[in-house]
Amino acid sequence: QQQVKQSPQSLIVQKGGISIINCAYENTAFDYFPWYQQFPGKGPALLIAIRPDVSEKKEGRFTISFNKSAKQFSLHIMDSQPGDSATYFCAASHLQGAQKLVFGQGTRLTINP
Amino acid sequence: EAEVAQSPRYKITEKSQAVAFWCDPISGHATLYWYRQILGQGPELLVQFQDESVVDDSQLPKDRFSAERLKGVDSTLKIQPAELGDSAMYLCASSLQVGNEQFFGPGTRLTVL
């Protein structure tokens, strides 16, 4: 019930294309859904996050779509650039209590020039 | 720009030896987290501190792992004895308070031979 399942494991997109990464969760008590970006040799960095009271959040080229009934959320990267090549992790947590983040398995994104 | 500092960046040890990792969170951050990231997987929370108190250590293998944050500032994670399966990246993160954005350090890559 604590798992967050992420797909695909790896993704190759041409420059200028749209990258889409999907996540699914089971625990309906989760109410905070962030996405992290990790470059080789670095720790993860928060990219964008959403709470379940909205179905979509957009920040620049990055958009989170959230489907509460399906218990799924996805990251869309518009106009993908080579500099977006990194590993992306979705995560989920409760806003109450210790607010422990549960991470997905990660998606290695490669943007071909 | 304030960052989470970790040392060492890399550690190679033989099984049954003791290892220790150090983390210095961003100044003023009350909450500190230690995560383990196995290659190809998402980070998994080992222990969470609020000031000097442990909030969550449910996933910490307490027979061999220990963590402390004596003065509520920097923290040390120790493994004794190290086992082959402990090879992973150990990430430290901090946040202003529980529920705020977590900022990750660059991690310590541990290899157990």
Side-chain angles (χ1 to χ4, degrees):
Chain A
Q1 265 232 325
Q2 289 294 323
Q3 280 190 325
V4 177
K5 295 183 179 179
Q6 183 172 345
S7 63
Q9 267 191 312
S10 62
L11 180 62
I12 299 174
V13 175
Q14 292 299 116
K15 178 182 174 183
I18 302 173
S19 304
I20 302 174
I21 304 171
N22 301 298
C23 283
Y25 63 98
E26 296 179 353
N27 190 339
T28 55
F30 286 146
D31 51 12
Y32 175 67
F33 303 91
W35 284 89
Y36 284 81
Q37 180 187 56
Q38 186 175 28
F39 293 105
K42 302 279 190 180
L46 180 65
L47 189 62
I48 186 173
I50 197 168
R51 298 200 170 147
D53 52 343
V54 296
S55 60
E56 186 175 282
K57 183 174 181 179
K58 183 175 181 178
E59 290 184 2
R61 296 184 294 109
F62 300 91
T63 300
I64 300 179
S65 296
F66 183 79
N67 186 329
K68 189 173 182 178
S69 61
K71 293 185 284 186
Q72 295 176 347
F73 57 110
S74 60
L75 176 70
H76 296 235
I77 306 175
M78 313 299 288
D79 187 26
S80 299
Q81 299 296 312
D84 297 330
S85 297
T87 300
Y88 292 80
F89 294 94
C90 62
S93 76
H94 310 267
L95 285 175
Q96 301 298 320
Q99 299 167 9
K100 170 182 172 179
L101 276 174
V102 178
F103 283 84
Q105 299 91 329
T107 296
R108 176 173 282 186
L109 174 65
T110 302
I111 307 299
N112 283 337
Chain B
E1 181 177 297
E3 294 181 339
V4 176
Q6 289 189 248
S7 67
R9 293 293 310 277
Y10 304 92
K11 179 70 178 178
I12 299 174
T13 191
E14 294 185 345
K15 65 179 182 178
S16 79
Q17 295 298 303
V19 292
F21 313 130
W22 177 79
C23 172
D24 191 14
I26 293 172
S27 178
H29 280 198
T31 312
L32 185 146
Y33 313 78
W34 282 102
Y35 289 87
R36 176 170 59 188
Q37 186 177 20
I38 295 169
L39 192 63
Q41 297 184 21
E44 176 191 27
L45 182 69
L46 292 175
V47 61
Q48 177 179 339
F49 289 92
Q50 180 66 25
D51 299 310
E52 65 276 7
S53 301
V54 172
V55 174
D56 184 347
D57 64 355
S58 57
Q59 299 303 310
L60 188 71
K62 298 181 189 62
D63 56 336
R64 297 184 301 107
F65 286 63
S66 64
E68 60 183 18
R69 193 185 184 199
L70 293 176
K71 296 182 180 178
V73 180
D74 59 339
S75 176
T76 302
L77 178 70
K78 296 179 182 176
I79 308 175
Q80 182 174 14
E83 295 181 352
L84 296 177
D86 296 332
S87 294
M89 176 77 84
Y90 290 83
L91 292 162
C92 179
S94 70
S95 64
L96 198 59
Q97 291 291 342
V98 174
N100 294 122
E101 177 183 350
Q102 294 185 29
F103 294 86
F104 284 81
T108 296
R109 169 75 65 189
L110 173 67
T111 302
V112 182
L113 303 175

